[in-house]
């Protein structure tokens, strides 16, 4: 009996030993990189447990403006200290003197440290070249002056550039055939998302040392500097942005307390984005809060009278306009007396300058009577319905798009709207279901400014290797004639009349150093405040300048604004004055 129990116990022990051996084999030999259902990389976890490190450069590609100024990160020379210095006798006084701080301030931060850290005051203490050389010449283990990448402060073009983050599920979905660390960051929004296949990190540059269970040095005080030393990576994305312009337009938006809206500025010759501002800003602590990640220049909005530009173009081509034809601008679009705007009888040109609703509601109804699709056809010709960002083939990526967050605009939602006279009249003044993106509106103004040829909008000029050699260039497309040169010239004159006519809705811009041409717009949003006494509106101004030799096209929009909010006209004034001064240097 005892013998049977002993055999049974021995058998159980033997099975347990085999299970334990199998488990150890699974952990150490078989599933080392994808252990358990969580797919844990045991090799990485083991290394992390036995090392302390500072990542100097995470290896992800970066963005620069067109002149090479970094947009997403900036390299700073900083002092890095390792916590084992607390147990050493080292020349604290000498290091403190070199960086211009006190011994006490330096040791205070060190005493609190459990991991390697960047020495800080209000922010990272930035070192000069001579300070870097002096510190590293001391050759003190655990004391390093290095060039480290930091996120650029100030949030410039942050919604356009986008954010990155860790997402294991999305990482594996995007790159099923590549073996990335689960801690690899990927682009979540903006250009970071669009260009993620090129930007995704390969190897990190870091300082590290091995520790024992108590956090002490395992193999002495040998701190290793690991640098992939790859002359080609990480990749650099050279955008079309102009950093000083971007920086100033951000300041202008804040000066005018733009709570929600955006500014987009295009270079007409190259049809590229020079600056892109969106509000509200991204909350750095909680990026998903308050729509801070939304780039409102790429989202369709109610345009109001901005859309009258499209009606004007179609009316010119369909010869609905004659020098002698006049319109009753003391009436609303429903034929009633207008209690707010009583402009009397006006010509077509005068109607455009004062933005007479009845004129363009009438013309829209006449156009729909000729062809129910004509309004949509002209909107499409201007690129207001489809996405206008650059698309094309990039190596094995077919239909690659630079602006992955861009959305399409809309004019009519149903065919019924095209044949209902009252609904068409609302469409004629940019209401009902008309929604356009500020980028598409700015592109329409660029098309008019250059004489009728429409191009797609580029935000990135090229991709470069780390050593500066070219990886890929995004060519300007061949373009297509959106409207006839004759029509474009007539529209140019109409847009200028908005500014030079004393009664024009943008007459406040007459005295600027650059002659501006453009169109205002105020659109009802259907959102009421103050117990229904006031409705939020979208306030627009879009156009181009200088008038005789167009260089810039733009769109400024204040979304969900009150009547007493800062006017897009005032914002435009500041933009034009700045660019005039900027161009003189």
């Amino acid at each position: 009996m005892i013998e049977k129990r002993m055999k049974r116990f021995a058998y159980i022990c033997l099975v347990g030993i085999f299970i334990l051996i199998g488990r150890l084999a699974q952990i150490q030999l078989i599933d080392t990189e994808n252990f358990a259902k969580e797919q844990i990389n045991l090799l990485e976890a083991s290394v992390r447990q036995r090392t302390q490190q500072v990542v100097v450069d995470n290896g992800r590609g970066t963005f620069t403006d067109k002149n090479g100024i970094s947009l997403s990160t900036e390299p700073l020379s900083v002092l890095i200290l390792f916590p084992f210095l607390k147990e050493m006798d080292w020349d604290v006084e000498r290091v403190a003197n070199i960086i211009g701080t006190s011994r006490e301030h330096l040791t205070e931060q060190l005493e609190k440290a459990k991991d390697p850290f960047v020495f800080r005051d209000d922010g990272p203490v930035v070192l000069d070249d001579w300070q870097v050389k002096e510190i590293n010449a001391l050759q003190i283990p655990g004391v390093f002056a290095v060039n480290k990448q930091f996120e650029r402060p100030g949030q410039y073009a942050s919604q356009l550039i986008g954010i990155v983050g860790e997402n294991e599920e999305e990482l594996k979905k995007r790159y099923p055939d590549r073996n990335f660390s689960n801690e690899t960051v990927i682009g979540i929004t903006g250009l970071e998302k669009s260009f993620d296949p090129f930007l995704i990190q390969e190897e990190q540059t870091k300082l590290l040392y091995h520790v024992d269970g108590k956090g002490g040095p395992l193999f002495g005080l040998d701190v290793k500097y690991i640098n992939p030393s790859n002359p080609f990576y990480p990749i650099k994305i050279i955008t079309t942005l102009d950093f000083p312009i971007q920086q100033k337009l951000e300041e202008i938006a804040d000066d005018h307390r733009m709570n929600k809206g955006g500014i987009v500025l295009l270079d007409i010759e190259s049809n590229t984005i020079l600056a892109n501002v969106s509000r509200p800003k991204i909350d750095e602590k909680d990026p998903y809060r308050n729509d801070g990640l939304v780039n409102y220049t790429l989202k369709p909005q109610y345009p109001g009278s901005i859309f009258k530009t499209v009606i004007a173009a179609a009316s010119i081509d369909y010869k609905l306009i004659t020098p002698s034809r006049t319109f009753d601008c003391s009436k609303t679009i429903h034929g009633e007396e207008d209690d707010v705007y009583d402009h009397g009888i006006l010509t077509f040109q005068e109607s455009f300058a004062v933005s007479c609703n009845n004129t363009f509601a009438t013309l829209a109804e006449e156009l729909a009577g000729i062809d129910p699709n004509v309004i949509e056809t002209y909107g499409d010709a201007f690129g207001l319905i489809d996405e206008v960002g650059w698309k094309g083939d990039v190596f094995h990526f077919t239909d690659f798009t630079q602006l992955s967050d861009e959305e399409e605009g809309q004019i009519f939602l149903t065919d019924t709207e095209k044949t209902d006279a009252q609904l068409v009249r609302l469409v004629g003044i940019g209401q009902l279901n008309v929604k356009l993106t500020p980028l598409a509106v700015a592109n329409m103004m660029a098309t008019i400014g250059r004489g009728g040829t429409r191009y797609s909008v580029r935000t990135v000029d090229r991709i470069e290797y780390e050593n500066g050699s070219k990886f890929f260039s995004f060519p300007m497309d061949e373009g297509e004639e959106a409207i006839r040169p004759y029509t474009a010239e007539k529209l140019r004159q109409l847009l200028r009349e908005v500014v030079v006519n004393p009664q024009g809705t943008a007459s406040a811009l007459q005295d600027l150093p650059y002659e501006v041409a453009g169109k205002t717009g105020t659109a009802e949003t259907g959102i009421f405040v103050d117990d229904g006494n006031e409705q939020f509106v979208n306030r627009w101004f879009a156009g181009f300048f200088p008038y005789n030799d167009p260089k810039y096209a733009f769109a400024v929009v204040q979304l969900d604004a009150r009547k007493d909010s800062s006017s897009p006209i005032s914002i435009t004034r500041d933009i034009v004055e700045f660019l005039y001064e900027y161009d003189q240097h």
Side-chain angles (χ1 to χ4, degrees):
M1 189 72 173
I2 295 175
E3 186 178 345
K4 288 183 178 180
R5 288 178 180 176
M6 291 293 291
K7 287 182 178 180
R8 189 179 299 121
F9 179 73
Y11 176 76
I12 292 172
C13 289
L14 188 61
V15 171
I17 289 171
F18 277 117
I19 292 174
L20 182 60
I21 292 172
R23 187 64 164 174
L24 289 173
Q26 180 189 17
I27 292 173
Q28 296 192 2
L29 300 175
I30 302 172
D31 294 336
T32 56
E33 296 185 9
N34 53 2
F35 179 72
K37 63 180 181 180
E38 291 83 6
Q39 301 291 294
I40 300 170
N41 190 316
L42 296 175
L43 295 177
E44 290 181 358
S46 176
V47 171
R48 284 197 303 271
Q49 190 178 34
R50 292 183 288 105
T51 61
Q52 289 189 347
Q53 65 182 29
V54 174
V55 176
V56 176
D57 189 331
N58 68 7
R60 185 172 176 83
T62 58
F63 293 90
T64 75
D65 84 338
K66 64 179 186 177
N67 297 313
I69 299 175
S70 178
L71 295 169
S72 51
T73 62
E74 60 179 344
L76 301 176
S77 296
V78 295
L79 175 66
I80 293 177
L81 301 174
F82 280 73
F84 63 71
L85 288 165
K86 289 182 283 189
E87 311 301 326
M88 288 176 52
D89 182 18
W90 57 288
D91 200 343
V92 183
E93 197 75 42
R94 183 74 181 276
V95 174
N97 288 338
I98 292 174
I99 65 176
T101 190
S102 67
R103 175 192 180 102
E104 292 72 25
H105 189 33
L106 195 151
T107 55
E108 180 185 3
Q109 292 192 29
L110 185 60
E111 287 299 323
K112 295 178 181 178
K114 295 182 179 180
D115 299 300
F117 67 97
V118 174
F119 179 71
R120 295 174 176 269
D121 202 340
D122 291 333
V125 174
V126 181
L127 307 178
D128 294 331
D129 291 342
W130 72 269
Q131 291 173 308
V132 172
K133 292 179 181 178
E134 288 283 328
I135 290 172
N136 289 334
L138 298 176
Q139 295 187 338
I140 301 173
V143 179
F144 295 92
V146 298
N147 213 27
K148 176 175 166 52
Q149 293 286 343
F150 291 86
E151 289 188 11
R152 176 179 281 281
Q155 298 189 344
Y156 299 111
S158 52
Q159 290 90 351
L160 181 67
I161 299 298
I163 65 168
V164 297
E166 293 181 15
N167 187 322
E168 290 184 36
E169 183 178 347
E170 182 63 22
L171 176 67
K172 292 171 182 176
K173 179 180 177 182
R174 289 187 194 178
Y175 308 105
D177 301 326
R178 300 180 68 178
N179 186 27
F180 289 118
S181 162
N182 291 336
E183 295 180 343
T184 300
V185 297
I186 57 175
I188 305 298
T189 62
L191 298 179
E192 290 279 11
K193 178 182 177 182
S194 301
F195 287 84
D196 194 58
F198 306 103
L199 295 165
I200 194 162
Q201 64 199 60
E202 297 291 336
E203 297 180 72
Q204 296 178 333
T205 299
K206 53 192 173 184
L207 291 166
L208 64 83
Y209 79 107
H210 298 277
V211 296
D212 58 23
K214 295 181 179 180
L218 187 61
F219 304 120
L221 302 177
D222 183 21
V223 177
K224 295 183 179 180
Y225 180 73
I226 299 177
N227 184 358
S229 299
N230 190 325
F232 298 105
Y233 293 91
I235 287 290
K236 287 187 290 188
I237 308 294
I238 314 301
T239 72
T240 62
L241 298 176
D242 188 309
F243 182 72
I245 296 178
Q246 177 69 41
Q247 189 175 32
K248 183 61 178 180
L249 266 57
E250 300 265 6
E251 292 176 7
I252 290 173
D254 292 339
D255 289 343
H256 287 271
R257 299 179 181 179
M258 178 182 281
N259 296 318
K260 183 179 179 181
I263 305 170
V264 59
L265 180 73
L266 303 182
D267 177 276
I268 289 181
E269 182 179 1
S270 61
N271 217 55
T272 56
I273 296 180
L274 290 172
N276 184 102
V277 179
S278 183
R279 291 293 183 269
K281 290 182 178 181
I282 294 178
D283 185 330
E284 293 183 354
K285 296 180 179 178
D286 184 5
Y288 295 92
R289 180 174 173 269
N290 294 337
D291 290 335
L293 288 178
V294 177
N295 187 348
Y296 280 106
T297 67
L298 305 181
K299 305 297 180 185
Q301 316 294 339
Y302 294 112
S305 296
I306 291 287
F307 193 70
K308 292 173 183 176
T309 309
V310 176
I311 303 301
S315 298
I316 291 168
D317 284 352
Y318 277 83
K319 297 181 172 54
L320 300 182
I321 309 303
T322 63
S324 60
R325 184 174 184 184
T326 58
F327 301 86
D328 189 349
C329 291
S330 62
K331 300 277 183 71
T332 67
I333 64 171
H334 304 298
E336 303 164 349
E337 294 297 324
D338 195 328
D339 296 331
V340 180
Y341 302 106
D342 183 8
H343 294 295
I345 305 301
L346 300 179
T347 64
F348 173 68
Q349 184 166 312
E350 292 169 336
S351 294
F352 194 87
V354 303
S355 201
C356 172
N357 284 338
N358 189 39
T359 298
F360 290 90
T362 300
L363 291 171
E365 183 180 356
E366 291 176 8
L367 289 167
I370 297 171
D371 179 355
N373 295 310
V374 69
I375 296 175
E376 199 164 58
T377 298
Y378 271 77
D380 186 45
F382 275 120
L384 298 175
I385 301 176
D386 294 328
E387 298 164 357
V388 298
W390 191 95
K391 290 182 180 180
D393 296 339
V394 180
F395 298 119
H396 61 280
F397 298 101
T398 57
D399 291 329
F400 177 86
T401 177
Q402 291 191 354
L403 298 172
S404 59
D405 296 337
E406 183 186 8
E407 297 180 5
E408 296 180 348
Q410 64 185 40
I411 297 176
F412 295 100
L413 286 185
T414 66
D415 288 339
T416 302
E417 293 176 5
K418 299 177 183 180
T419 55
D420 186 308
Q422 293 303 312
L423 297 181
V424 168
R425 291 178 73 85
L426 285 169
V427 169
I429 62 171
Q431 291 286 175
L432 194 62
N433 292 311
V434 182
K435 285 189 174 182
L436 313 176
T437 68
L439 177 64
V441 169
N443 194 44
M444 174 178 70
M445 293 301 174
T447 298
I448 296 169
R450 72 169 65 91
T453 304
R454 177 169 65 89
Y455 297 93
S456 60
V457 179
R458 289 181 299 143
T459 315
V460 171
D461 179 67
R462 63 191 183 278
I463 305 175
E464 288 185 355
Y465 288 114
E466 175 66 16
N467 62 8
S469 58
K470 186 178 71 173
F471 178 69
F472 186 83
S473 289
F474 294 89
M476 188 174 181
D477 60 30
E478 296 180 358
E480 57 182 279
E481 186 177 272
I483 51 175
R484 297 178 302 145
Y486 171 82
T487 306
E489 181 55 35
K490 289 297 183 182
L491 290 177
R492 279 168 44 85
Q493 294 171 12
L494 288 172
L495 292 168
R496 179 59 180 158
E497 187 69 16
V498 173
V499 177
V500 299
N501 188 311
Q503 303 302 316
T505 54
S507 59
L509 302 178
Q510 287 187 45
D511 60 342
L512 289 175
Y514 276 146
E515 294 182 332
V516 177
K519 183 73 189 75
T520 56
T522 302
E524 297 177 350
T525 63
I527 303 173
F528 287 85
V529 292
D530 295 338
D531 298 325
N533 294 323
E534 182 183 354
Q535 183 176 182
F536 279 144
V537 294
N538 293 344
R539 305 179 70 188
W540 294 73
F541 188 62
F544 62 87
F545 61 92
Y547 174 68
N548 290 318
D549 185 19
K551 182 177 181 179
Y552 302 106
F554 67 94
V556 178
V557 60
Q558 293 266 47
L559 299 173
D560 296 345
R562 290 177 175 268
K563 292 179 181 179
D564 59 353
S565 64
S566 181
S567 166
I569 299 295
S570 301
I571 294 174
T572 300
R573 168 177 286 278
D574 287 353
I575 293 172
V576 175
E577 289 178 340
F578 162 72
L579 287 172
Y580 178 80
E581 293 296 327
Y582 185 74
D583 290 341
Q584 307 311 306
H585 298 90

